[in-house]
Amino acid sequence: MPVIIGLDIGTSSTKAIAFDEQGKVVSSAYQPYSILNPQPNYSEQDPDEVFRAVLLALQKSTSQLNGATLAGISFSSAMHSLIAVDAQGNPLTNCIIWADNRSQVQADDLRVTPTGLDIYHYTGTPIHPMSPLCKLMWFRQYQPNLLQQAYKFISIKEYVWYKLFGRFQVDYSIASATGLFNIYTHTWYEPALEAAGITAAQLSEPVSPLYQISPQYINFLQLDSLAQVPFIIGASDGCLANLGAGATVPGRAALTIGTSGAIRVTAPQPAADPQQRLFSYILTENQYVVGGAVNNGGIILRWFRDNFAEAEKAEAQRLGVDPYEILSQEAAAVPAGSEGLLFVPYLLGERAPIWDAQARGLFFGVSITHTKAHFLRAVFEGIVFGIYQVGQALTETTGPIDVIYASGGFARSPFWVQLVADIFNKKVILAGTVESSAWGAAMLALQALNLAPDTLSLPDQTAHEQEYLPNPKRHAVYMQNFSIFEKLYPLLKDQLAAIGNLPKE
């Protein structure tokens, strides 16, 4: 039985998941790593720690195949990371990830100019500190010597690819999320390069997401047993989540909530938003994924767990269950709408739809009757409200959403998935695997290796485990809350920015 490993390099871990041709999981492995915050607004990772995690995840997953034939390995990866390397591929910086906001000033200045609007329309990437374009502009201002010293500026996926194969190559999908790549011509975009202060020679060679490496070039270090297995370069995690979930036709949206979150649709062409709220990234040469990503997904629930849920963690340990299961049960015991308590979840600034790195979170409407459980439920609701706002922008730009395909860690929580159904007032479908990015990567490999005719023929074969239908009464409650929620940030934008810049003692 041939299997494909989808190797998903995420923000907090790498997953290596082996699938058969129908998308059934044959083996899986998970290897976590840390996020470094050396200064306020900095979010980095050690690229070698991530690479070691990739190797370990691959080793663990392949050791569980039990005789199945490994036909290929395909990559999925988080977007927007940036590493400066020398000519031998040695890092000159840590990996600066999407959550890094140090280039906020550069992004704010560029965004409101005609050049910024032009770059957005041609690259499909909103002007925001997440993008490698803005990160490079920050280097240009504060570390100009690095721009001259660096041989290449690459993503974490490119770093892993180079470590394995000795080639600086990037797939169109990851390239399309840099703010430096023309999504119409599939070439580096000169006006963006000029803004960043670099040349195309300092970036990797763009290749198709179906590109595969020839076995004779493979240097597997400690993975010699895989020396004859073809590797497919794959695409970005967000785009592959749509493919893996089956959200590839009009009216179908894919919603992913992991560390961050996003809602996306697949389209045959980019869909630039006049308000610059949405991205248009490349899935394959003829398919684009349009949507918006939020910084504040499951990481906000983790913040609540780590700071306010010692009792719940202890109870989970006693029962041998995940602490999030206990938290979900507590939140579910509170009425929909948290009895008038609202949470604006912008603890990490925010990407779509407001694109404001200075944004801050707040609880609003606190009364003496509210308990910790109310605050907890408000956190769940606030995260989904933030994504619902993106869904509204997506509907305005690309057309109505009929059904939502859910994936990511949140899809393991029935309470959270039902909350999405109720707030969006849409049917939510769970795919046969919540690891839709890894399955999407495997699907690209099946096409590249001629084991499937094309990617669009596969989603109908993907089993759907469960459907969640919206509750109209709860939806009405949520819409009353949301009508207040969506006004809070515009009203308090200046105050939130000011309180975030107060001097420290």
Side-chain angles (χ1 to χ4, degrees), residues 320-392:
V321 300
D322 191 315
Y324 292 118
E325 185 176 332
I326 304 294
L327 293 173
S328 294
Q329 292 171 2
E330 288 191 6
V334 174
S338 303
E339 296 186 305
L341 180 62
L342 291 174
F343 174 63
V344 177
Y346 303 155
L347 303 193
L348 289 170
E350 192 51 287
R351 288 183 282 174
I354 63 171
W355 300 101
D356 182 3
Q358 292 192 90
R360 294 292 183 270
L362 74 149
F363 287 97
F364 182 81
V366 184
S367 80
I368 196 69
T369 61
H370 290 136
T371 65
K372 185 173 80 171
H374 288 84
F375 282 84
L376 174 58
R377 182 168 185 126
V379 166
F380 276 103
E381 293 174 352
I383 294 170
V384 180
F385 279 154
I387 297 171
Y388 179 70
Q389 257 190 313
V390 182
Q392 287 185 313

Side-chain angles (χ1 to χ4, degrees), residues 94-161:
N94 273 333
C95 176
I96 304 170
I97 66 172
W98 57 266
D100 191 282
N101 286 326
R102 75 185 71 177
S103 61
Q104 171 201 312
V105 172
Q106 289 73 25
D108 290 346
D109 290 346
L110 179 62
R111 181 180 171 84
V112 297
T113 66
T115 298
L117 184 61
D118 172 84
I119 290 173
Y120 167 69
H121 282 299
Y122 279 95
T123 69
T125 304
I127 307 297
H128 183 269
M130 69 174 185
S131 79
L133 163 64
C134 296
K135 294 177 172 76
L136 287 166
M137 292 175 67
W138 185 90
F139 279 126
R140 184 179 191 178
Q141 181 171 349
Y142 292 106
Q143 296 185 26
N145 291 339
L146 184 66
L147 291 188
Q148 304 301 320
Q149 180 185 2
Y151 180 69
K152 297 283 184 183
F153 291 95
I154 61 175
S155 69
I156 188 60
K157 185 180 186 182
E158 294 161 74
Y159 182 73
V160 170
W161 190 260

Side-chain angles (χ1 to χ4, degrees), residues 142-302:
Y142 292 106
Q143 296 185 26
N145 291 339
L146 184 66
L147 291 188
Q148 304 301 320
Q149 180 185 2
Y151 180 69
K152 297 283 184 183
F153 291 95
I154 61 175
S155 69
I156 188 60
K157 185 180 186 182
E158 294 161 74
Y159 182 73
V160 170
W161 190 260
Y162 180 83
K163 291 278 282 187
L164 289 174
F165 311 120
R167 293 185 172 192
F168 289 111
Q169 294 172 316
V170 61
D171 61 85
Y172 297 154
S173 185
I174 288 291
S176 70
T178 61
L180 301 163
F181 192 71
N182 189 320
I183 58 176
Y184 299 93
T185 64
H186 298 168
T187 57
W188 297 115
Y189 187 52
E190 192 59 38
L193 299 181
E194 291 177 5
I198 63 169
T199 67
Q202 290 177 281
L203 299 171
S204 294
E205 172 198 1
V207 297
S208 164
L210 299 177
Y211 175 85
Q212 57 180 290
I213 201 78
S214 179
Q216 63 261 33
Y217 292 108
I218 291 176
N219 170 21
F220 278 108
L221 304 178
Q222 53 189 297
L223 294 173
D224 296 332
S225 62
L226 304 182
Q228 298 304 312
V229 178
F231 271 61
I232 293 80
I233 199 166
S236 67
D237 56 358
C239 292
L240 290 171
N242 271 53
L243 179 60
T248 54
V249 298
R252 293 183 180 183
L255 189 151
T256 305
I257 306 177
T259 305
S260 56
I263 183 166
R264 307 164 299 268
V265 299
T266 306
Q269 64 281 319
D273 173 27
Q275 299 180 53
Q276 302 187 52
R277 294 170 296 179
L278 303 174
F279 57 68
S280 291
Y281 298 147
I282 296 172
L283 172 56
T284 64
E285 284 92 336
N286 303 311
Q287 294 173 293
Y288 294 81
V289 171
V290 181
V294 300
N295 286 354
N296 300 282
I299 194 169
I300 305 305
L301 194 59
R302 186 171 69 186

Side-chain angles (χ1 to χ4, degrees), residues 424-440:
F424 277 82
N425 201 29
K426 306 292 181 186
K427 178 168 66 174
V428 178
I429 295 175
L430 297 190
T433 173
V434 299
E435 303 296 353
S436 58
S437 294
W439 170 228

